[in-house]
Amino acid sequence: MVGTDLKAETMKLMEKRTAVEAEMNVIIERLTQPGGPGLSGNLVDSEGFPRTDIDIPVVRAERRRLSELRNDHKEITDKLNENIQVLHSARLAPRSAPAKGSGSESSRNIIQRDTPSDMDVDVIVSRPFAVVDEIADGSPAAEDGLQLGDQIVKFGNVESGDDLLQRLSSEAQASQGHALTLVAMRQGALINLTVTPRTWHGRGLLGCHFRIL
C-alpha cells in the first residue's frame, strides 16, 4: 500500500518546485525588463565592446543561476512524475478529475487549494510539458492572462508527444483569431485559460516563449 510518506515527499517536492519557479521568475523578469540584456542577448555592443548600460558580471551570474535552477526544476519534475505515477496507480478509484473544468466554468477558473499539503493526487497527476519562460508586455499572451512560470498541461489539442515546439506553433497558427483552450499549472493549482493567437505589434501570434520540459 502506498503510504503517507510518499505523498508527503511529493508535497515537499511541489513546494520546492514552486520556490524554484519563483526564483526563476524573479531572474527572468529582471533580465527581460525593457532595456535589459534578455536571457541570451549579447553582452557586447555593435563594435564588440562590453555594454556599458548593464552590469555584465551580474548578468552573467544571473544567467548562470537561471541555468542551475532550470536543471534543478527538471530533476524535481522528473521525481514528481515518478511519485505521481505511483500515487495515481494506487488510487484508481472512479472519481471525477477536476483538472480541466467544465464548459460552464469561467475560462480562468482556478482550482483553489489553500496550501500544497491540501492537494489531492488527482489534481497533480496531469504532467506539464512546457513552461512559459518569456512574455512580452502588451502581448496577446499577457492580455489573455498567461504568466511567467505557467506550466502548460494542454494547449488546444497539444498535450504531449514529439516535436512539441512545432506542434505548438502550428496550433497557434491554425487558431489565429479564435479562442484556444489552455490548461496550465500555476503555483500548484490547475487553471483553465482561453488565449486567442492574433497579430500585434510584436513577434509571433502570442508574444511568449515556451520551454519544453
Side-chain angles (χ1 to χ4, degrees), residues 7 19 68 71-72 83 101 141 148-149 165 170 176 189 206:
K7 187 167 185 178
E68 294 171 353
N71 289 334
D72 291 345
N83 286 8
L148 283 174
L165 283 177
S170 297
Q176 183 172 348
L206 287 173

Side-chain angles (χ1 to χ4, degrees), residues 57-75:
V58 170
V59 171
R60 284 176 173 164
E62 292 205 317
R63 286 179 175 177
R64 184 166 56 250
R65 177 58 179 161
L66 183 59
S67 178
E68 294 171 353
L69 289 169
R70 283 173 168 168
N71 289 334
D72 291 345
H73 188 276
K74 183 179 185 305
E75 291 180 4

Side-chain angles (χ1 to χ4, degrees), residues 3 9 28 33 38 40-41 50 52 59-60 66-67 75 89 97-98 109 113 162 167 176 178 189 193 205 208 210:
E9 178 188 346
I28 290 171
Q33 63 185 338
S40 58
T52 58
V59 171
R60 284 176 173 164
L66 183 59
S67 178
E75 291 180 4
S89 64
N109 182 46
R113 300 283 163 172
D162 299 324
R167 290 168 59 199
Q176 183 172 348
H178 302 282
L193 297 174
L205 295 176
C208 68
F210 296 115

Side-chain angles (χ1 to χ4, degrees), residues 81-182:
N81 287 340
E82 292 177 8
N83 286 8
I84 289 169
Q85 277 190 323
V86 175
L87 288 168
H88 189 55
S89 64
R91 298 184 58 179
L92 289 178
R95 299 176 56 186
S96 57
K100 298 178 183 178
S102 63
S104 61
E105 294 175 323
S106 167
S107 63
R108 297 187 183 185
N109 182 46
I110 297 177
I111 299 174
Q112 298 291 345
R113 300 283 163 172
D114 294 335
T115 64
S117 61
D118 292 328
M119 293 177 193
D120 188 85
V121 67
D122 292 333
V123 173
I124 61 176
V125 70
S126 297
R127 294 186 185 182
F129 62 84
V131 62
V132 180
D133 61 3
E134 286 186 58
I135 294 183
D137 292 337
S139 66
E143 292 180 353
D144 290 348
L146 210 56
Q147 295 182 10
L148 283 174
D150 282 351
Q151 295 179 332
I152 308 303
V153 175
K154 183 176 181 181
F155 183 83
N157 293 317
V158 180
E159 296 187 63
S160 61
D162 299 324
D163 301 322
L164 286 169
L165 283 177
Q166 178 60 43
R167 290 168 59 199
L168 288 170
S169 176
S170 297
E171 189 76 5
Q173 292 174 8
S175 302
Q176 183 172 348
H178 302 282
L180 182 151
T181 300
L182 184 152

